[in-house]
């Protein structure tokens, strides 16, 4: 996640909690600057393709504080012409912003485009949340479609106890995992 005020982190946390409830085992939640390839300086292709879901905002058209190193890494990869820097990564991006700003979605759109340019494969269409309206509804709607698509691709069934619509409240199971 790339966040300035905490909303993108909250959304990323909701997605990670849902992924665990659906039975996905290897779920990592981290700030964009703390993602392993950024810390190590390169992406090491995994045995199976990796799914990376990015929730990020734009801060006046720039990356939020927790995504500055990520942004610099992307820029460096583009400058070096490293077209396969993220080969083996499947990704989805949910961007947060306010349509009243001329820089609306500037950084999320950059992340989506540059990951694609660097060899990653877009797993699901980008989502956009408008803080000037009902950003939570935007996120819930995107999540419902994202999870429906994701679960179908991975052969996982949704149920009433495993909704595709996120919830901001943590279950007792989630609380025990974070304690």
């Amino acid at each position: 996640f790339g966040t300035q005020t905490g909303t993108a982190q909250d959304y990323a946390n909701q997605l990670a909690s849902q992924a665990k409830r659906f039975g996905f085992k290897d779920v990592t939640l981290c700030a964009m600057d703390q993602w392993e390839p950024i810390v190590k300086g390169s992406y090491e292709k995994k045995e199976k393709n990796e799914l990376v879901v990015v929730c990020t905002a734009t801060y006046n058209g720039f990356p939020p504080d927790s995504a500055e190193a990520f942004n610099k890494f992307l820029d460096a990869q583009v400058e070096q012409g490293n077209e396969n820097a993220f080969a083996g990564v499947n990704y989805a991006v949910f961007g947060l912003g306010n349509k009243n700003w001329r820089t609306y979605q500037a950084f999320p759109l950059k992340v989506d485009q540059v990951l694609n340019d660097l060899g990653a494969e877009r797993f699901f269409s980008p989502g956009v949340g408008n803080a000037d309206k009902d950003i939570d509804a935007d996120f819930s709607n995107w999540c419902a479609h994202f999870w429906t698509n994701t679960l179908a691709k991975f052969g996982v069934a949704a149920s009433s106890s495993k909704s595709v619509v996120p919830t901001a409240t943590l279950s007792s199971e989630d609380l025990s995992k974070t304690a």
Side-chain angles (χ1 to χ4, degrees):
F1 58 86
T3 193
Q4 201 69 30
T5 63
T7 306
Q9 181 176 358
D10 290 344
Y11 289 166
N13 189 43
Q14 290 176 46
L15 285 164
S17 294
Q18 281 183 286
K20 291 174 186 176
R21 277 195 295 275
F22 285 127
F24 292 96
K25 303 285 185 226
D26 190 13
V27 177
T28 302
L29 173 67
C30 66
M32 292 169 76
D33 285 353
Q34 299 304 312
W35 186 37
E36 187 177 314
I38 307 310
V39 173
K40 286 186 172 181
S42 66
Y43 176 74
E44 295 176 21
K45 189 170 175 16
K46 310 290 188 232
E47 199 171 297
K48 292 183 177 180
N49 282 3
E50 186 172 16
L51 175 58
V52 175
V53 182
V54 176
C55 292
T56 188
T58 291
Y59 183 67
N60 293 328
F62 298 100
D65 290 345
S66 61
E68 288 177 354
F70 182 92
N71 184 57
K72 288 177 184 171
F73 181 83
L74 291 183
D75 289 345
Q77 296 303 306
V78 169
E79 280 181 30
Q80 295 167 14
N82 194 350
E83 297 174 352
N84 295 310
F86 289 112
V89 171
N90 292 301
Y91 73 93
V93 175
F94 184 82
L96 297 80
N98 185 317
K99 275 191 175 178
N100 289 323
W101 290 81
R102 66 177 175 77
T103 57
Y104 178 65
Q105 297 292 328
F107 185 64
L109 291 172
K110 175 186 178 178
V111 170
D112 177 65
Q113 185 60 55
V114 174
L115 285 174
N116 192 314
D117 293 347
L118 294 175
E121 185 174 325
R122 186 178 294 117
F123 180 80
F124 192 71
S125 8
V128 293
N130 180 10
D132 187 48
K133 300 288 182 191
D134 189 348
I135 195 169
D136 291 333
D138 294 338
F139 178 68
S140 292
N141 185 46
W142 181 82
C143 278
H145 291 95
F146 168 79
W147 282 116
T148 299
N149 179 69
T150 302
L151 297 177
K153 284 189 178 180
F154 284 92
V156 177
S159 67
S160 60
S161 66
K162 298 176 183 177
S163 174
V164 294
V165 177
T167 176
T169 57
L170 294 175
S171 68
S172 57
E173 180 183 326
D174 290 332
L175 289 173
S176 68
K177 290 179 185 175
T178 59

